[in-house]
Amino acid sequence: MTQLPAPQTKQAEPHSGSDPECGSGWLTPDAAEAAARNVADLLAMAIEYAPPQRALVVHDRRCELNLALTEAYRRALPHGRFIDFDTVSPDDVLAAFAELGQHDLVVLVQSTSFRLEAFRIRIELFKRGLKVIEHVHLSRMPGKQGLHYIASLAYDPAYYRGVGRALKARIDAAQSAVVDSGEGALLRFDSPLEPAKLNIGDYSGMNNVGGQFPIGEVFTEAQDLEAVSGRVRVFVFGDTSFHVNHPAKPITMIVEQGRVTGAIDSTPEFDNMLAIIRAHEGEVWLRELGFGMNRAFSRSCLVNDIGTFERMCGIHLSLGAKHGQYQKPQFKRKDARYHVDVFAVTEAVWLDQDTVYRDGAWHV
């Protein structure tokens, strides 16, 4: 859902295999079987794909995780059409898309991110009524991180839909929230929250079916952004290359009237990220309050790609004025440039007087 625009971005390169953990031995038969099972469950239970719907898988062969997922889809879609993006022209890919009809399926398995000039792939496919599963930046998760990614694709509808909808109901009714980051750090939202958005693999009643995977998130923000104050300990943040930055010690952010005004135990990289936002937006707003649900990711189980790790079970926040889902009168769209994810040490979360997160899990 989130974006991390920054002026110093770079495209991740395909993994070269130089990392000692990145040999081919990580993909065991059990892991391959788990990938096939998880992909099949996503197709059946979340996407609700079934013949005679057609399926097109566009993939590449630039990293091992891509090869593993492509093979999983071959097992799950024995009658699907598979195209290696690097062996055909962009026109060939567009022509393959054009052959599909409403409710057919497109799967994009990308080591980086496919580019088709001005064609915004997922948006344009949704406009045609197609179902879409998008896997991006797989080369950022080499070696054993691929196992974490495969685990994150497991789909438990009772958990995601049951807990996800219950969290939304509690969020929508709450008049306040508190995030406890331990060591006395409490971040208070002394305001009702915006109606929560769901990313739980349930597309009933929605215009589009699918999106970027893995899934697992309920997100909101304070209706009154200036009613957010306190301290929050951050153990991971998104850097300017869209990678996870994991400081040796959590950074304690100081938040006053919805703005980040200080950072204790900061690092040069974190200070640089704050400076970039301030240089273009004047101050650093705290906006999104994300309730991550994916149990494959935690404080001790990370992957390098920030857009994937965003689903981590716990709380994440966004820094910067940009948020495409919630419009606030104090922000003009043209001036809001940044949405940088930061991840809170999550000891407990309260909605009003009720504890909804403790001991590493949601309780609703």
Side-chain angles (χ1 to χ4, degrees):
M1 184 277 303
T2 58
Q3 297 177 339
L4 292 150
Q8 300 177 12
T9 59
K10 63 183 181 182
Q11 181 66 50
E13 295 296 326
H15 175 60
S16 64
S18 59
D19 189 317
E21 285 197 325
C22 296
S24 59
W26 69 268
L27 187 64
T28 64
D30 286 347
E33 181 60 34
R37 180 176 61 251
N38 292 347
V39 162
D41 286 347
L42 284 178
L43 290 169
M45 294 187 285
I47 302 301
E48 297 183 353
Y49 166 85
Q53 297 169 1
R54 288 174 291 181
L56 170 66
V57 179
V58 184
H59 64 97
D60 61 61
R61 301 177 58 83
R62 303 176 205 165
C63 75
E64 289 175 299
L65 182 53
N66 194 307
L67 295 174
L69 285 184
T70 301
E71 178 57 29
Y73 279 106
R74 288 190 190 278
R75 292 202 214 176
L77 299 168
H79 302 294
R81 180 182 179 187
F82 287 73
I83 296 177
D84 184 340
F85 184 83
D86 293 327
T87 64
V88 299
S89 71
D91 286 343
D92 291 331
V93 177
L94 295 176
F97 291 155
E99 293 176 9
L100 300 175
Q102 194 170 32
H103 306 307
D104 287 340
L105 170 69
V106 173
V107 180
L108 304 168
V109 189
Q110 304 158 95
S111 294
T112 53
S113 182
F114 296 150
R115 296 287 184 262
L116 292 172
E117 298 179 353
F119 189 88
R120 298 172 300 171
I121 298 179
R122 183 169 18 134
I123 294 174
E124 294 301 325
L125 297 178
F126 278 150
K127 287 180 180 178
R128 299 180 185 188
L130 296 166
K131 300 178 178 182
V132 181
I133 296 176
E134 186 172 23
H135 303 280
V136 297
H137 303 306
L138 299 177
S139 64
R140 294 178 183 169
M141 295 169 282
K144 292 181 180 179
Q145 291 188 30
L147 299 178
H148 305 326
Y149 189 91
I150 287 170
S152 76
L153 299 179
Y155 189 64
D156 179 348
Y159 169 68
Y160 280 120
R161 299 183 183 192
V163 174
R165 290 189 186 118
L167 268 176
K168 173 176 170 55
R170 299 290 288 275
I171 291 166
D172 291 354
Q175 297 301 300
S176 65
V178 177
V179 176
D180 179 356
S181 289
E183 299 188 5
L186 298 176
L187 184 64
R188 301 183 181 277
F189 295 73
D190 294 319
S191 160
L193 303 172
E194 295 285 2
K197 307 289 186 180
L198 296 170
N199 181 4
I200 58 173
D202 180 2
Y203 305 102
S204 56
M206 295 186 179
N207 292 329
N208 303 323
V209 175
Q212 182 175 322
F213 284 75
I215 60 166
E217 180 185 10
V218 183
F219 61 93
T220 182
E221 69 178 26
Q223 290 184 14
D224 178 4
L225 295 178
E226 293 193 325
V228 181
S229 62
R231 297 188 176 199
V232 58
R233 297 170 66 226
V234 171
F235 74 94
V236 153
F237 63 93
D239 68 15
T240 55
S241 64
F242 304 89
H243 284 65
V244 161
N245 187 299
H246 188 198
K249 180 179 181 180
I251 298 165
T252 300
M253 289 196 317
I254 302 170
V255 180
E256 299 178 84
Q257 294 185 314
R259 290 96 158 167
V260 177
T261 58
I264 301 170
D265 298 321
S266 190
T267 65
E269 294 82 6
F270 192 77
D271 289 340
N272 179 59
M273 182 266 292
L274 296 179
I276 290 171
I277 297 174
R278 288 194 179 102
H280 294 93
E281 296 184 349
E283 49 196 350
V284 180
W285 284 91
L286 188 149
R287 293 206 59 177
E288 181 174 316
L289 172 60
F291 296 66
M293 295 180 61
N294 199 307
R295 295 174 291 194
F297 305 129
S298 68
R299 186 178 173 186
S300 60
C301 189
L302 292 79
V303 290
N304 290 340
D305 180 55
I306 198 72
T308 297
F309 189 64
E310 181 187 356
R311 316 305 186 201
M312 176 211 76
C313 191
I315 291 292
H316 63 271
L317 309 159
S318 75
L319 305 183
K322 184 174 182 175
H323 201 301
Q325 298 294 320
Y326 300 110
Q327 303 304 314
K328 290 290 199 289
Q330 62 264 52
F331 303 124
K332 295 181 180 179
R333 185 181 293 271
K334 66 180 181 65
D335 298 327
R337 296 182 57 179
Y338 296 97
H339 183 121
V340 179
D341 290 314
V342 300
F343 298 80
V345 176
T346 311
E347 298 291 341
V349 180
W350 288 273
L351 292 173
D352 295 331
Q353 303 304 311
D354 298 326
T355 306
V356 296
Y357 184 97
R358 66 179 183 275
D359 301 325
W362 297 104
H363 299 273
V364 289

